[in-house]
Amino acid sequence: MTERDDSRVDLPAQPDPEHRRPPGLDDVTVDALGRLSKALETIHRVRGHLYAFHQLTGTADFELDNAVRLLRQAGHDKWADRIERELIGRNVLQGRWTFQIVEEYDDGYYAVFQELERQARDELAGGRRHLFEAELKQQRRTPGEPGHETTP
């Protein structure tokens, strides 16, 4: 049996000031900002998938070079010519390669989403991020238990 070290001081029971609710901020607003933040986090993931789409499409396009080379080597020039003419370097959407789709997404929807989330957080919560999660952490942690400290 080990002796308990009662000399250990637990960190404050409150989150750090950057993650504390400003005075007067109501539960519904904290919930709404939390959901807005969660939606933005989902959009960050979407953007990652869009970049994967961009990179994978490029990888496939370059792999077609090998397919064309092998088709020619096997004597299938008609198919090699057709793939080269109709598919290699083809736009994935009307007038657009994937880099153009990524740029349009980044400069449009993604930029507006990020900016609105930031502005709402700045105006309604003094710029504080993750208030909902910080309060959830306080509710779910076990005070005094190792690994359950409030702050680093």
Coordinates of all heavy atoms in Angstrom, one line a residue, residues 20-93:
R20 N -12.4 31.1 -19.5 CA -13.5 31.4 -18.6 C -14.6 32.3 -19.3 O -14.2 33.2 -20.0 CB -13.0 32.1 -17.4 CG -12.4 31.2 -16.4 CD -12.1 31.9 -15.1 NE -10.9 31.3 -14.6 CZ -10.0 31.9 -13.8 NH1 -10.1 33.2 -13.5 NH2 -8.9 31.2 -13.4
R21 N -15.8 32.0 -19.0 CA -16.9 32.7 -19.6 C -16.9 34.2 -19.1 O -16.8 34.4 -17.9 CB -18.2 32.0 -19.1 CG -19.5 32.6 -19.6 CD -20.7 32.0 -18.9 NE -20.8 30.6 -19.2 CZ -22.0 30.0 -19.3 NH1 -23.1 30.6 -19.2 NH2 -22.1 28.7 -19.5
P22 N -17.0 35.1 -20.0 CA -17.1 36.5 -19.5 C -18.3 36.8 -18.7 O -19.3 36.1 -18.9 CB -17.1 37.3 -20.8 CG -16.7 36.4 -21.9 CD -17.0 35.0 -21.4
P23 N -18.3 37.7 -17.8 CA -19.5 38.0 -17.0 C -20.7 38.3 -17.9 O -20.5 39.0 -18.9 CB -19.1 39.2 -16.2 CG -17.6 39.2 -16.2 CD -17.2 38.6 -17.4
G24 N -21.8 37.8 -17.6 CA -23.1 38.0 -18.3 C -23.3 37.2 -19.5 O -24.4 37.3 -20.2
L25 N -22.4 36.3 -19.9 CA -22.6 35.5 -21.1 C -23.4 34.3 -20.7 O -23.1 33.5 -19.8 CB -21.2 35.0 -21.6 CG -21.2 34.2 -22.9 CD1 -21.8 35.1 -24.0 CD2 -19.8 33.7 -23.3
D26 N -24.6 34.1 -21.3 CA -25.6 33.1 -21.0 C -25.2 31.8 -21.6 O -24.4 31.6 -22.5 CB -26.9 33.6 -21.4 CG -27.0 33.8 -22.9 OD1 -26.6 34.8 -23.4 OD2 -27.5 32.8 -23.6
D27 N -25.9 30.7 -21.0 CA -25.7 29.4 -21.4 C -26.0 29.1 -22.9 O -25.3 28.4 -23.6 CB -26.5 28.4 -20.6 CG -26.1 28.3 -19.2 OD1 -24.9 28.7 -18.9 OD2 -26.9 27.8 -18.3
V28 N -27.1 29.7 -23.4 CA -27.5 29.5 -24.8 C -26.5 30.1 -25.7 O -26.2 29.4 -26.7 CB -28.9 30.2 -25.0 CG1 -29.3 30.1 -26.5 CG2 -30.0 29.5 -24.1
T29 N -25.9 31.2 -25.4 CA -24.9 31.8 -26.3 C -23.6 30.9 -26.3 O -23.0 30.7 -27.3 CB -24.5 33.2 -25.9 OG1 -25.7 34.0 -25.9 CG2 -23.5 33.9 -26.8
V30 N -23.2 30.4 -25.1 CA -22.1 29.5 -25.0 C -22.3 28.3 -25.8 O -21.5 27.8 -26.6 CB -21.8 29.2 -23.5 CG1 -20.7 28.0 -23.5 CG2 -21.2 30.4 -22.8
D31 N -23.5 27.7 -25.8 CA -23.9 26.6 -26.5 C -23.8 26.9 -28.0 O -23.3 26.1 -28.8 CB -25.3 26.1 -26.2 CG -25.7 24.7 -26.8 OD1 -24.8 24.0 -27.3 OD2 -26.9 24.4 -26.8
A32 N -24.4 28.0 -28.4 CA -24.4 28.4 -29.8 C -23.0 28.6 -30.4 O -22.7 28.1 -31.4 CB -25.2 29.7 -30.0
L33 N -22.1 29.3 -29.6 CA -20.7 29.5 -30.0 C -20.0 28.1 -30.1 O -19.2 27.9 -31.0 CB -20.0 30.4 -29.1 CG -20.5 31.9 -29.2 CD1 -19.8 32.7 -28.1 CD2 -20.2 32.5 -30.6
G34 N -20.3 27.2 -29.1 CA -19.7 25.9 -29.2 C -20.1 25.1 -30.5 O -19.3 24.5 -31.1
R35 N -21.4 25.3 -30.8 CA -21.8 24.6 -32.1 C -21.2 25.2 -33.3 O -20.9 24.6 -34.3 CB -23.3 24.6 -32.1 CG -23.9 23.6 -31.1 CD -25.4 23.8 -31.0 NE -25.9 23.0 -29.8 CZ -26.2 21.7 -29.9 NH1 -26.1 21.0 -31.0 NH2 -26.7 21.1 -28.8
L36 N -21.1 26.6 -33.3 CA -20.4 27.3 -34.4 C -19.0 26.8 -34.5 O -18.5 26.5 -35.6 CB -20.5 28.8 -34.2 CG -20.0 29.7 -35.3 CD1 -20.7 29.4 -36.6 CD2 -20.1 31.1 -34.9
S37 N -18.3 26.7 -33.4 CA -16.9 26.2 -33.4 C -16.8 24.8 -33.9 O -16.0 24.4 -34.7 CB -16.4 26.3 -32.0 OG -15.1 25.7 -31.9
K38 N -17.8 23.9 -33.5 CA -17.8 22.5 -33.9 C -18.0 22.5 -35.4 O -17.4 21.7 -36.1 CB -18.9 21.8 -33.2 CG -18.9 20.3 -33.6 CD -20.0 19.6 -32.8 CE -20.1 18.1 -33.2 NZ -21.1 17.4 -32.4
A39 N -18.9 23.3 -35.9 CA -19.2 23.4 -37.4 C -17.9 23.8 -38.1 O -17.6 23.2 -39.2 CB -20.3 24.3 -37.7
L40 N -17.2 24.8 -37.6 CA -15.9 25.2 -38.2 C -14.9 24.1 -38.2 O -14.2 23.8 -39.2 CB -15.4 26.4 -37.5 CG -14.0 26.9 -38.1 CD1 -14.1 27.3 -39.5 CD2 -13.5 28.1 -37.2
E41 N -14.8 23.3 -37.1 CA -13.9 22.2 -37.0 C -14.3 21.2 -38.1 O -13.4 20.6 -38.7 CB -14.0 21.6 -35.6 CG -13.3 22.4 -34.6 CD -13.6 21.9 -33.2 OE1 -14.3 20.9 -33.0 OE2 -13.2 22.7 -32.2
T42 N -15.5 21.0 -38.4 CA -16.0 20.1 -39.4 C -15.5 20.6 -40.8 O -15.1 19.8 -41.6 CB -17.5 19.9 -39.4 OG1 -17.9 19.3 -38.1 CG2 -18.0 18.9 -40.5
I43 N -15.6 21.9 -41.0 CA -15.2 22.5 -42.2 C -13.7 22.4 -42.4 O -13.2 22.2 -43.5 CB -15.7 24.0 -42.3 CG1 -17.2 24.0 -42.4 CG2 -15.0 24.8 -43.4 CD1 -17.7 23.3 -43.6
H44 N -12.9 22.4 -41.3 CA -11.5 22.2 -41.4 C -11.2 20.8 -42.0 O -10.4 20.5 -42.8 CB -10.8 22.4 -40.1 CG -10.7 23.8 -39.6 ND1 -10.2 24.8 -40.4 CD2 -11.0 24.3 -38.4 CE1 -10.2 25.9 -39.7 NE2 -10.7 25.7 -38.5
R45 N -12.0 19.8 -41.5 CA -11.9 18.4 -41.9 C -12.3 18.3 -43.4 O -11.7 17.6 -44.2 CB -12.8 17.5 -41.1 CG -12.2 17.3 -39.7 CD -13.1 16.4 -38.8 NE -13.2 15.1 -39.4 CZ -14.2 14.3 -39.2 NH1 -15.2 14.6 -38.4 NH2 -14.3 13.1 -39.8
V46 N -13.4 19.0 -43.8 CA -13.8 19.0 -45.2 C -12.7 19.6 -46.1 O -12.4 19.0 -47.1 CB -15.1 19.9 -45.4 CG1 -15.4 20.2 -46.8 CG2 -16.3 19.3 -44.7
R47 N -12.1 20.6 -45.6 CA -10.9 21.2 -46.4 C -9.8 20.2 -46.6 O -9.2 20.1 -47.6 CB -10.4 22.5 -45.7 CG -9.4 23.2 -46.5 CD -9.1 24.5 -45.8 NE -8.0 25.3 -46.5 CZ -6.8 25.4 -46.1 NH1 -6.4 24.8 -44.9 NH2 -5.9 26.1 -46.8
G48 N -9.5 19.4 -45.5 CA -8.5 18.4 -45.6 C -8.9 17.3 -46.7 O -8.1 16.9 -47.4
H49 N -10.2 17.0 -46.7 CA -10.7 16.0 -47.7 C -10.6 16.6 -49.1 O -10.3 15.9 -50.1 CB -12.1 15.6 -47.4 CG -12.2 14.7 -46.2 ND1 -11.7 13.5 -46.1 CD2 -12.9 14.9 -45.0 CE1 -12.0 12.9 -45.0 NE2 -12.7 13.8 -44.3
L50 N -10.8 17.9 -49.2 CA -10.7 18.6 -50.5 C -9.3 18.6 -51.0 O -9.0 18.3 -52.2 CB -11.2 20.0 -50.4 CG -11.3 20.8 -51.7 CD1 -12.2 20.1 -52.7 CD2 -11.9 22.2 -51.4
Y51 N -8.3 18.8 -50.1 CA -6.9 18.7 -50.4 C -6.5 17.3 -50.8 O -5.7 17.1 -51.7 CB -6.0 19.3 -49.3 CG -5.8 20.8 -49.5 CD1 -6.7 21.7 -49.0 CD2 -4.7 21.3 -50.2 CE1 -6.6 23.0 -49.2 CE2 -4.5 22.6 -50.4 CZ -5.4 23.5 -49.8 OH -5.3 24.9 -50.0
A52 N -7.1 16.3 -50.1 CA -6.9 14.9 -50.5 C -7.4 14.6 -51.9 O -6.7 14.0 -52.7 CB -7.5 14.0 -49.5
F53 N -8.6 15.1 -52.2 CA -9.2 15.0 -53.5 C -8.2 15.6 -54.6 O -7.9 15.0 -55.6 CB -10.5 15.7 -53.5 CG -11.1 16.2 -54.9 CD1 -11.6 15.2 -55.7 CD2 -11.1 17.5 -55.2 CE1 -12.1 15.6 -57.0 CE2 -11.6 17.9 -56.4 CZ -12.1 17.0 -57.3
H54 N -7.7 16.8 -54.3 CA -6.7 17.5 -55.2 C -5.5 16.6 -55.4 O -5.1 16.4 -56.5 CB -6.4 18.8 -54.5 CG -5.2 19.5 -55.0 ND1 -5.0 19.9 -56.3 CD2 -4.1 19.9 -54.4 CE1 -3.9 20.5 -56.5 NE2 -3.3 20.6 -55.3
Q55 N -4.9 16.2 -54.3 CA -3.7 15.4 -54.4 C -3.9 14.0 -55.1 O -3.1 13.6 -55.9 CB -3.0 15.3 -53.1 CG -2.5 16.6 -52.5 CD -2.0 16.5 -51.1 OE1 -2.2 15.5 -50.4 NE2 -1.3 17.6 -50.7
L56 N -4.9 13.4 -54.7 CA -5.2 12.1 -55.3 C -5.5 12.1 -56.8 O -5.1 11.3 -57.6 CB -6.3 11.3 -54.5 CG -6.0 10.9 -53.1 CD1 -7.2 10.5 -52.4 CD2 -4.9 9.8 -53.1
T57 N -6.3 13.2 -57.2 CA -6.6 13.4 -58.6 C -5.3 13.6 -59.4 O -5.1 13.0 -60.5 CB -7.6 14.5 -58.8 OG1 -8.8 14.3 -58.0 CG2 -7.9 14.7 -60.2
G58 N -4.4 14.4 -58.8 CA -3.1 14.6 -59.5 C -2.3 13.3 -59.6 O -1.7 13.0 -60.6
T59 N -2.3 12.6 -58.5 CA -1.6 11.3 -58.5 C -2.1 10.3 -59.6 O -1.4 9.7 -60.4 CB -1.7 10.6 -57.1 OG1 -1.1 11.5 -56.2 CG2 -1.0 9.3 -57.1
A60 N -3.5 10.3 -59.7 CA -4.1 9.4 -60.7 C -3.7 9.9 -62.1 O -3.5 9.1 -63.0 CB -5.6 9.4 -60.5
D61 N -3.7 11.2 -62.3 CA -3.4 11.8 -63.6 C -2.0 11.4 -64.1 O -1.8 11.0 -65.2 CB -3.6 13.3 -63.6 CG -3.5 13.9 -65.0 OD1 -4.4 13.6 -65.8 OD2 -2.5 14.6 -65.3
F62 N -1.1 11.5 -63.1 CA 0.3 11.1 -63.5 C 0.4 9.6 -63.7 O 1.3 9.1 -64.5 CB 1.3 11.6 -62.4 CG 1.6 13.0 -62.5 CD1 1.3 13.9 -61.5 CD2 2.3 13.5 -63.6 CE1 1.6 15.3 -61.7 CE2 2.7 14.8 -63.8 CZ 2.3 15.7 -62.8
E63 N -0.4 8.8 -63.0 CA -0.3 7.3 -63.1 C -0.8 6.9 -64.5 O -0.4 5.9 -65.1 CB -1.2 6.6 -62.1 CG -1.0 5.1 -62.0 CD 0.4 4.6 -61.8 OE1 1.2 5.3 -61.1 OE2 0.7 3.5 -62.3
L64 N -1.7 7.8 -65.1 CA -2.1 7.5 -66.5 C -1.0 7.5 -67.5 O -1.0 6.8 -68.5 CB -3.2 8.6 -66.9 CG -4.5 8.5 -66.2 CD1 -5.4 9.7 -66.6 CD2 -5.2 7.2 -66.5
D65 N 0.1 8.3 -67.2 CA 1.3 8.3 -68.0 C 1.8 6.8 -68.1 O 2.2 6.4 -69.2 CB 2.3 9.2 -67.5 CG 2.0 10.7 -67.6 OD1 1.1 11.0 -68.4 OD2 2.5 11.5 -66.8
N66 N 1.9 6.2 -67.0 CA 2.4 4.8 -67.0 C 1.5 3.8 -67.8 O 1.9 3.0 -68.5 CB 2.6 4.3 -65.6 CG 3.7 5.0 -64.8 OD1 4.7 5.3 -65.4 ND2 3.5 5.3 -63.6
A67 N 0.2 4.0 -67.6 CA -0.8 3.2 -68.3 C -0.7 3.4 -69.8 O -0.7 2.4 -70.5 CB -2.2 3.5 -67.8
V68 N -0.5 4.6 -70.2 CA -0.4 4.9 -71.7 C 0.9 4.3 -72.2 O 0.9 3.7 -73.3 CB -0.4 6.4 -71.9 CG1 0.1 6.8 -73.3 CG2 -1.8 7.0 -71.7
R69 N 2.0 4.4 -71.4 CA 3.2 3.8 -71.9 C 3.1 2.3 -72.0 O 3.6 1.8 -73.0 CB 4.3 4.2 -70.8 CG 5.7 3.6 -71.2 CD 6.8 4.0 -70.1 NE 6.4 3.6 -68.8 CZ 6.4 2.4 -68.2 NH1 6.8 1.4 -69.0 NH2 6.0 2.2 -67.0
L70 N 2.5 1.7 -71.1 CA 2.3 0.2 -71.1 C 1.4 -0.2 -72.2 O 1.6 -1.2 -72.9 CB 1.9 -0.3 -69.8 CG 2.9 -0.2 -68.7 CD1 2.3 -0.6 -67.3 CD2 4.1 -1.1 -69.0
L71 N 0.3 0.6 -72.4 CA -0.6 0.2 -73.6 C 0.1 0.3 -74.9 O 0.0 -0.5 -75.8 CB -1.8 1.2 -73.5 CG -2.8 0.9 -72.4 CD1 -3.8 2.1 -72.3 CD2 -3.6 -0.4 -72.7
R72 N 1.0 1.4 -75.0 CA 1.8 1.5 -76.3 C 2.8 0.3 -76.4 O 2.9 -0.3 -77.5 CB 2.5 2.8 -76.3 CG 1.7 4.0 -76.5 CD 2.5 5.2 -76.9 NE 1.7 6.4 -76.8 CZ 0.7 6.8 -77.5 NH1 0.2 6.0 -78.5 NH2 0.0 7.9 -77.3
Q73 N 3.4 0.0 -75.3 CA 4.3 -1.1 -75.3 C 3.6 -2.4 -75.7 O 4.2 -3.3 -76.4 CB 5.0 -1.3 -73.9 CG 6.0 -2.4 -73.8 CD 6.5 -2.4 -72.3 OE1 6.6 -1.4 -71.6 NE2 6.9 -3.6 -71.9
A74 N 2.4 -2.6 -75.3 CA 1.6 -3.8 -75.6 C 1.0 -3.7 -77.0 O 0.2 -4.6 -77.4 CB 0.6 -4.1 -74.6
G75 N 1.2 -2.6 -77.7 CA 0.6 -2.5 -79.1 C -0.8 -1.9 -79.1 O -1.4 -2.1 -80.2
H76 N -1.3 -1.3 -78.1 CA -2.6 -0.8 -78.1 C -2.6 0.7 -78.2 O -3.1 1.5 -77.4 CB -3.3 -1.2 -76.8 CG -3.4 -2.6 -76.5 ND1 -4.1 -3.5 -77.3 CD2 -2.7 -3.4 -75.6 CE1 -3.9 -4.7 -76.8 NE2 -3.1 -4.7 -75.8
D77 N -2.0 1.2 -79.3 CA -1.9 2.6 -79.6 C -3.2 3.4 -79.6 O -3.3 4.5 -79.1 CB -1.1 2.9 -80.9 CG 0.3 2.5 -80.8 OD1 0.9 2.4 -79.6 OD2 1.0 2.3 -81.8
K78 N -4.2 2.7 -80.1 CA -5.5 3.4 -80.2 C -6.0 3.8 -78.8 O -6.5 4.9 -78.5 CB -6.6 2.5 -80.8 CG -8.0 3.0 -80.9 CD -8.9 2.0 -81.6 CE -10.0 1.7 -80.6 NZ -10.9 0.7 -81.0
W79 N -5.9 2.9 -77.8 CA -6.3 3.1 -76.4 C -5.4 4.1 -75.8 O -5.8 5.0 -75.0 CB -6.4 1.8 -75.6 CG -7.7 1.2 -75.9 CD1 -7.9 0.0 -76.6 CD2 -9.0 1.6 -75.4 NE1 -9.2 -0.2 -76.7 CE2 -9.9 0.7 -75.9 CE3 -9.4 2.7 -74.7 CZ2 -11.3 0.8 -75.7 CZ3 -10.8 2.8 -74.4 CH2 -11.7 1.9 -74.9
A80 N -4.1 4.0 -76.0 CA -3.1 4.9 -75.5 C -3.4 6.4 -76.0 O -3.4 7.3 -75.2 CB -1.7 4.5 -75.8
D81 N -3.7 6.5 -77.3 CA -4.0 7.8 -77.8 C -5.3 8.4 -77.2 O -5.3 9.6 -76.9 CB -4.1 7.7 -79.3 CG -2.8 7.4 -80.1 OD1 -1.8 7.6 -79.4 OD2 -2.9 7.0 -81.3
R82 N -6.3 7.5 -77.1 CA -7.5 8.0 -76.6 C -7.4 8.5 -75.1 O -8.0 9.5 -74.8 CB -8.6 6.9 -76.7 CG -10.0 7.4 -76.3 CD -11.0 6.4 -76.7 NE -12.3 6.9 -76.2 CZ -13.4 6.2 -76.0 NH1 -13.4 4.9 -76.3 NH2 -14.5 6.8 -75.6
I83 N -6.8 7.7 -74.3 CA -6.6 8.1 -72.9 C -5.7 9.4 -72.8 O -6.1 10.3 -72.0 CB -5.9 7.0 -72.1 CG1 -6.9 5.8 -71.9 CG2 -5.4 7.5 -70.7 CD1 -6.3 4.5 -71.4
E84 N -4.7 9.5 -73.6 CA -3.9 10.7 -73.6 C -4.7 11.9 -74.1 O -4.6 13.0 -73.5 CB -2.7 10.4 -74.6 CG -1.5 11.2 -74.3 CD -0.3 10.7 -75.1 OE1 -0.5 10.4 -76.3 OE2 0.8 10.5 -74.6
R85 N -5.5 11.7 -75.1 CA -6.3 12.8 -75.6 C -7.5 13.2 -74.7 O -7.7 14.4 -74.5 CB -6.8 12.5 -77.0 CG -7.6 13.5 -77.8 CD -8.0 13.1 -79.2 NE -9.0 12.0 -79.1 CZ -8.7 10.7 -79.5 NH1 -7.5 10.4 -79.9 NH2 -9.6 9.8 -79.4
E86 N -8.2 12.2 -74.2 CA -9.5 12.5 -73.6 C -9.4 12.7 -72.1 O -10.2 13.3 -71.4 CB -10.5 11.4 -73.9 CG -10.9 11.4 -75.4 CD -11.9 10.3 -75.6 OE1 -12.7 10.0 -74.7 OE2 -11.9 9.8 -76.8
L87 N -8.3 12.1 -71.5 CA -8.3 12.0 -70.0 C -7.1 12.7 -69.3 O -7.3 13.5 -68.4 CB -8.3 10.6 -69.6 CG -8.7 10.3 -68.1 CD1 -10.0 10.9 -67.7 CD2 -8.8 8.8 -67.9
I88 N -5.9 12.5 -69.8 CA -4.7 13.2 -69.2 C -4.9 14.7 -69.3 O -5.1 15.2 -70.4 CB -3.4 12.7 -69.9 CG1 -3.2 11.2 -69.5 CG2 -2.3 13.5 -69.4 CD1 -2.0 10.6 -70.1
G89 N -4.8 15.3 -68.2 CA -4.8 16.8 -68.1 C -6.2 17.3 -68.2 O -6.4 18.6 -68.3
R90 N -7.2 16.5 -68.2 CA -8.6 16.9 -68.3 C -9.1 17.7 -67.1 O -8.7 17.4 -66.0 CB -9.5 15.7 -68.5 CG -11.0 16.0 -68.7 CD -11.8 14.7 -68.8 NE -13.2 15.0 -69.0 CZ -13.8 15.0 -70.2 NH1 -13.1 14.7 -71.3 NH2 -15.1 15.3 -70.4
N91 N -9.9 18.7 -67.3 CA -10.6 19.4 -66.2 C -11.4 18.5 -65.4 O -12.1 17.7 -66.0 CB -11.4 20.6 -66.7 CG -10.6 21.7 -67.4 OD1 -9.5 22.0 -66.9 ND2 -11.1 22.3 -68.4
V92 N -11.5 18.6 -64.1 CA -12.4 17.8 -63.3 C -13.8 18.4 -63.2 O -14.7 17.7 -63.0 CB -11.8 17.4 -61.9 CG1 -10.5 16.6 -62.0 CG2 -11.6 18.7 -61.1
L93 N -13.8 19.7 -63.3 CA -15.1 20.4 -63.4 C -14.9 21.4 -64.6 O -13.8 21.7 -65.0 CB -15.4 21.2 -62.2 CG -15.7 20.4 -60.9 CD1 -15.9 21.3 -59.7 CD2 -16.9 19.5 -61.1

